[in-house]
Amino acid sequence: MAKKTPGYACSSCGHRVSKWVGRCPSCSEWGTVEGVAAPVAVVGTTGGSAARTPSLSGLTPTSPARKVTDIDPTGAEHRPSGIGELDRVLGGGVVPGSAVLLAGEPGVGKSTLLLEVANRWARLGRSVLYLTAEESVGQVRQRAGRTDALSPDLWLAAEHDLETALGQIEVTQPELVIIDSLQTIHANGVEGVAGGVAQTRAVAATLTTFAKSTGIPVLVVGHVTKDGAVAGPRTVEHLVDVVLHFEGDRHSALRFLRGQKNRFGATDEVGCFEQTAEGIREVADPSGLFLHEREEPVSGTSVTVLMDGRRPMVGEIQTLALPSGQHTPRRVVTGIDTGRVATILAVLAQRCELDLMGHEVYAATVGGMRISEPAADLATALALASTCHDHALPTGLVAVGEVGLGGEVRRVPDLRQRLAEAARLGFTSAFVPASTRSSDQVRVSGLRIMPVRTVSEALTELGLSQPVRRG
Ligand SMILES: [Zn+2]
C-alpha cells in the first residue's frame, strides 16, 4: 500500500516536491505546483465508494465518486466573513481554500471594503493578513484608525514581490489572506511589468494554487478600467474560484457587490454598501434609498419594484414633459434605458391618446438606481401620464408590469416577491399585470391588488385617460 501523505507536483514539468511552493524549483513556472494525491487507501465508510478495485488505467482517482445522497448539498463549508452583505453574495461566507477576486474600477472603494472585511474577520477572533502593494503599511494603519479597524488579529505587511508575499503568509499563518492588488504584485522570472497579462496570470494562478494547497482563503483586489483594460481581471477570471464586481456611481455613495462567477454558490445575489466618511457601511435594507420622501404627492413620479438578482428593490421614477417648439424635442433620460422610454412614449401616443412626441421629456431614477428590466415599464408610463396631466398619482401606489407595443401589460417574474417588498415598505395598492390563470392570483396582506390588462385601463382607473394630442 502506498503512503497516504499527498505530495505536490508541477503540472508543467512534473517535478515533485514534498511541500507546496509558489514557483516550481525545476522549471521556474509560477502557480503550477499542485497537490497530487498519492494513491489513496480507501477507508470503507458510508456505503463505500467506487474506487475499491484498482482501475484499468492503474491510476487511483484523486477524489473517488460518492453516492449523491452522501454529498453535502451546499458543497462547501462557508465561514461567515462578519459582513452579511458580502456573505450573501459569496453564498454564505468565505470557503476555505478558495481564491476570490474582487474586481472594480479604481476609486470605487475596493481597498476600503477589504480592510473592513479584514477588520470584521479579525473581530471574530480569527487571524487575517492584509498584504498591500498599493500603499505603505503606515497608510493602511491610518485608514484602519479612521475606520475603526484596529484589531489585534489583523496583520499588515507591504510586499510587491510574490515570493516574499508568500513568505509573509508562511510566517504569519493567517486564517485569511487579503492582497491589494493583483496588478501591483510582481512575479520574478515572468516577462512583462507588474500588471501585464503574463504577470497578472502568474500571480493569480499562484495565489489560487496556494489557497488550494494550504486551505487558506485568499481575497485579491483586481482593478478594472473603463475601457476594459487588457490585463484586467478578465484575463484571470478562469483561474480563480469566485469573481465579485464592486460597482457604484461616482456621484452616489451607494455601492453594489455582484457575483459574476462563484464555484460555491449562485451568482444572482447582490450586496449593498454605502461609502461614508467612516468607511464602507453595509446596507441591509436598500429599498428606501431609491425613494424620495416628501409630504405632498408630486405629479410625474411613480414607484415600481425591481428585482436586482434575487433581491426586490422599491424605486421611484421621476418624469417631466413640457411642450417643445423644437423639431426634435429633447429627451434626457438617467438611470432608465433610453430605448424603453422612447417605446413607452410611442405606446402612449398610439394606444392611449396621450401624445408626448412633440414634448421635451425628462426621466430619471432616484438615488442612482439603474433600471434594466421591463418590469418598470408600467410605472414609467404612469409617471409620464401623471406629468402630462399635472396630476399626482395616489401615495402608496406601486406599478409593476412590462408594456408591450400593443399597449398591453405583460407579466413579469417574481411578482409575489415584489409585492411583498412593497407591502413591507408601507405601500397600500399595486397595479399588476392581469393574468388569465387563476393560479397566478397574488394576494399580499395590506396591499390592494389592481390587475390591469392594458396601460389604458390603469390610466382610466387613475382618472388620467383624457386625450392629449400633439399641438
Ligand atoms: Zn516545473
Side-chain angles (χ1 to χ4, degrees):
M1 185 62 66
K3 65 180 165 86
K4 287 183 207 169
T5 47
Y8 298 90
C10 172
S11 61
S12 178
C13 71
H15 182 76
R16 272 181 170 266
V17 281
S18 59
K19 181 172 159 289
W20 185 84
V21 282
R23 191 181 193 186
C24 172
S26 171
C27 71
S28 300
E29 288 277 331
W30 282 102
T32 52
V33 173
E34 290 166 354
V36 285
V40 184
V42 176
V43 186
T45 50
T46 50
S49 74
R52 283 178 191 224
T53 44
S55 63
L56 294 175
S57 66
L59 298 171
T60 312
T62 50
S63 57
R66 288 183 292 161
K67 289 184 179 177
V68 65
T69 48
D70 291 346
I71 296 169
D72 175 8
T74 56
E77 169 214 344
H78 292 90
R79 299 184 75 187
S81 67
I83 299 185
E85 292 294 294
L86 170 66
D87 294 342
R88 166 195 281 268
V89 182
L90 286 173
V94 180
V95 174
S98 65
V100 178
L101 177 70
L102 179 73
E105 287 176 16
V108 75
K110 300 185 291 296
S111 305
T112 316
L113 175 64
L114 287 190
L115 186 59
E116 184 59 15
V117 173
N119 175 36
R120 299 283 189 93
W121 182 274
R123 277 173 197 264
L124 290 171
R126 302 167 302 189
S127 61
V128 51
L129 174 62
Y130 189 102
L131 276 170
T132 174
E134 294 268 338
E135 301 167 286
S136 69
V137 280
Q139 284 172 309
V140 180
R141 162 63 180 81
Q142 272 188 3
R143 209 147 48 77
R146 274 203 308 277
T147 60
D148 193 25
L150 299 174
S151 165
D153 286 313
L154 168 52
W155 296 72
L156 296 181
E159 290 297 347
H160 292 91
D161 180 75
L162 183 57
E163 213 142 29
T164 44
L166 293 172
Q168 281 282 12
I169 302 169
E170 200 171 25
V171 171
T172 321
Q173 287 292 318
E175 289 171 84
L176 173 69
V177 177
I178 289 174
I179 298 181
D180 187 11
S181 68
L182 183 64
Q183 279 99 341
T184 44
I185 296 271
H186 180 262
N188 278 325
V190 177
E191 62 179 81
V193 291
V197 178
Q199 282 281 340
T200 327
R201 282 212 181 126
V203 174
T206 308
L207 293 177
T208 305
T209 54
F210 162 80
K212 210 156 282 156
S213 313
T214 59
I216 301 174
V218 177
L219 260 72
V220 60
V221 166
H223 299 298
V224 194
T225 49
K226 273 225 155 64
D227 53 341
V230 188
R234 301 241 114 190
T235 58
V236 300
E237 273 166 12
H238 63 287
L239 295 171
V240 297
D241 301 303
V242 179
V243 179
L244 306 180
H245 267 266
F246 198 45
E247 45 188 61
D249 191 78
R250 199 169 286 275
H251 307 291
S252 153
L254 214 56
R255 299 287 180 270
F256 292 103
L257 185 67
R258 294 174 204 280
Q260 187 184 318
K261 167 186 175 179
N262 190 353
R263 201 164 274 168
F264 317 108
T267 52
D268 56 357
E269 275 293 3
V270 54
C272 290
F273 297 86
E274 194 178 14
Q275 181 117 50
T276 66
E278 291 80 43
I280 291 268
R281 192 176 67 87
E282 57 179 320
V283 183
D285 188 4
S287 245
L289 296 171
F290 304 118
L291 291 172
H292 184 75
E293 287 188 22
R294 58 170 71 88
E295 315 225 310
E296 294 289 312
V298 170
S299 69
T301 70
S302 70
V303 177
T304 189
V305 193
L306 298 166
M307 293 301 293
D308 196 339
R310 275 183 280 169
R311 191 169 195 160
M313 289 195 198
V314 174
E316 182 173 320
I317 297 165
Q318 302 189 332
T319 61
L320 265 182
L322 36 145
S324 163
Q326 302 292 317
H327 185 67
T328 315
R330 273 174 79 93
R331 298 275 185 268
V332 182
V333 180
T334 318
I336 316 175
D337 181 57
T338 316
R340 288 312 298 177
V341 174
T343 305
I344 290 161
L345 286 170
V347 170
L348 285 173
Q350 196 68 25
R351 310 285 178 197
C352 309
E353 297 190 275
L354 200 85
D355 195 339
L356 293 174
M357 298 315 253
H359 283 55
E360 286 186 12
V361 174
Y362 302 84
T365 55
V366 169
M369 182 176 68
R370 266 182 287 163
I371 297 179
S372 56
E373 54 164 356
D377 286 357
L378 181 59
T380 309
L382 298 186
L384 288 164
S386 164
T387 186
C388 187
H389 290 290
D390 193 20
H391 178 101
L393 301 181
T395 49
L397 172 75
V398 296
V400 175
E402 177 179 349
V403 171
L405 293 180
E408 77 277 17
V409 176
R410 295 201 190 132
R411 294 197 299 168
V412 299
D414 308 310
L415 184 61
R416 189 180 300 274
Q417 266 175 283
R418 295 177 203 255
L419 297 179
E421 178 68 0
R424 189 181 72 83
L425 290 185
F427 287 86
T428 50
S429 58
F431 279 122
V432 302
S435 174
T436 48
R437 297 209 307 240
S438 59
S439 61
D440 286 349
Q441 295 308 322
V442 183
R443 275 193 195 83
V444 176
S445 95
L447 204 62
R448 186 163 76 96
I449 310 277
M450 300 179 289
V452 286
R453 275 169 304 163
T454 61
V455 178
S456 290
E457 261 186 44
L459 294 180
T460 305
E461 185 80 24
L462 292 167
L464 297 174
S465 54
Q466 312 89 320
V468 172
R469 300 195 198 284
R470 199 194 294 242

